[in-house]
Amino acid sequence: MHKTLEFPDLLRLIDERATAFRAAIASASSLDLPVPTCPEWTLSDLVQHIGEGRRRWAATVAAGPDAMSRTPAAGDAVAPREREAVLAWLAASTELLLAALREAGPDQGCFTGWGDTQMPDTAGGVARHQVQEIAVHTYDAQVAVGAPQPLPTEVALDGVEENLFITCFTTSPWPHKPTAFDFHATEGRSWRHTVDGDGARTTRLPAPGEDPDAAGLSIHGTASDLVLFLYERIPLDSLRLDGDPGLFDLFHAWEWWA
């Protein structure tokens, strides 16, 4: 049975993944190392993105439901260069975000910027997304230092659905024959991403009334690999496929996707 992570779990996982990110940065021989999964970025760029981004999200959450755009980061939003100072700055950035989320609570409205999706525009929705952003960028940092690790199962299982809910939802009509993409995590959870004249949307499987044979392409892998594929960190052929892989070419060529 699918179970969405509770708000305290999301805050815990933000903290855990941020700690893992700092560990990767601490182990790096240089902050000038390239990040292969983020072309043209160095670890220094990734550090700036993580630290400044968490400070901006903290300010946005704190601004409340009336904010109409992302709020500029409060305080020192530029990463220092000295290693120990960088790690302290990253830790402070995470704590600013966590403090803002705790103060807001999961149901407070919040500007998110992801528009009409299957995710709510709330502080809880921001927390759920932040787990994934920090987790995937932790993987990026680990790749850069030569020590990549799978995303923790708890993070990844929630991440497949979270990514599909935000990234792959639209009401723009699918211009081809209706079909579906099924995502099957080896840990025992599955999702169906349906594309048809009503657009694209995701449901959990099994679901009442869903035809088990309706998928044009079924994608199988660990939850971590599914998330890393959805975030374009690993290629489709890293996963086991049943059906027509050409359907994903159509999906990527879809004007909405681009």
Side-chain angles (χ1 to χ4, degrees):
M1 180 179 178
H2 287 245
K3 183 180 180 182
T4 301
L5 292 171
E6 299 291 337
F7 191 63
D9 293 319
L10 297 173
L11 300 188
R12 169 178 57 82
L13 291 169
I14 289 171
D15 192 32
E16 287 180 5
R17 288 298 85 204
T19 299
F21 181 83
R22 295 195 301 275
I25 298 304
S27 73
S29 59
S30 168
L31 294 183
D32 293 325
L33 287 175
V35 182
T37 46
C38 298
E40 301 183 7
W41 276 19
T42 64
L43 276 179
S44 181
D45 296 320
L46 188 56
V47 163
Q48 179 64 37
H49 174 73
I50 284 291
E52 180 184 7
R54 290 346 90 197
R55 289 167 184 255
R56 288 194 68 188
W57 274 114
T60 299
V61 170
D66 296 329
M68 301 300 291
S69 63
R70 287 280 302 279
T71 304
D76 186 358
V78 178
R81 289 292 300 178
E82 194 275 326
R83 186 70 59 93
E84 290 303 316
V86 164
L87 297 175
W89 179 79
L90 285 169
S93 302
T94 300
E95 187 49 44
L96 285 170
L97 173 61
L98 291 172
L101 290 168
R102 290 190 198 102
E103 178 67 23
D107 299 323
Q108 176 181 290
C110 180
F111 175 82
T112 62
W114 50 62
D116 185 16
T117 72
Q118 291 179 254
M119 284 282 287
D121 294 316
T122 62
V126 170
R128 193 179 185 193
H129 187 61
Q130 286 303 295
V131 172
Q132 300 307 317
E133 180 154 351
I134 298 171
V136 172
H137 282 317
T138 295
Y139 173 82
D140 294 331
Q142 292 169 344
V143 169
V145 301
Q149 300 176 23
L151 275 60
T153 299
E154 184 180 21
V155 170
L157 282 171
D158 196 58
V160 179
E161 179 172 288
E162 195 273 345
N163 181 282
L164 290 170
F165 276 9
I166 286 185
T167 304
C168 300
F169 175 84
T170 181
T171 55
S172 299
W174 169 249
H176 308 286
K177 180 181 177 181
T179 191
F181 302 88
D182 283 357
F183 293 83
H184 299 288
T186 57
E187 295 87 349
R189 294 187 191 174
S190 297
W191 299 262
R192 171 160 294 173
H193 186 62
T194 300
V195 287
D196 56 24
D198 294 325
R201 60 203 174 277
T202 300
T203 54
R204 296 171 176 178
L205 293 176
E210 289 279 9
D211 178 359
D213 300 319
L217 178 63
S218 292
I219 304 168
H220 304 258
T222 65
S224 176
D225 281 350
L226 292 176
V227 172
L228 294 174
F229 161 68
L230 288 167
Y231 277 99
E232 300 184 338
R233 266 50 181 189
I234 62 174
L236 182 61
D237 61 13
S238 300
L239 303 165
R240 181 168 69 83
L241 307 178
D242 292 326
D244 180 6
L247 288 172
F248 226 93
D249 294 333
L250 293 178
F251 194 71
H252 274 279
W254 191 10
E255 184 177 354
W256 161 76
W257 175 269

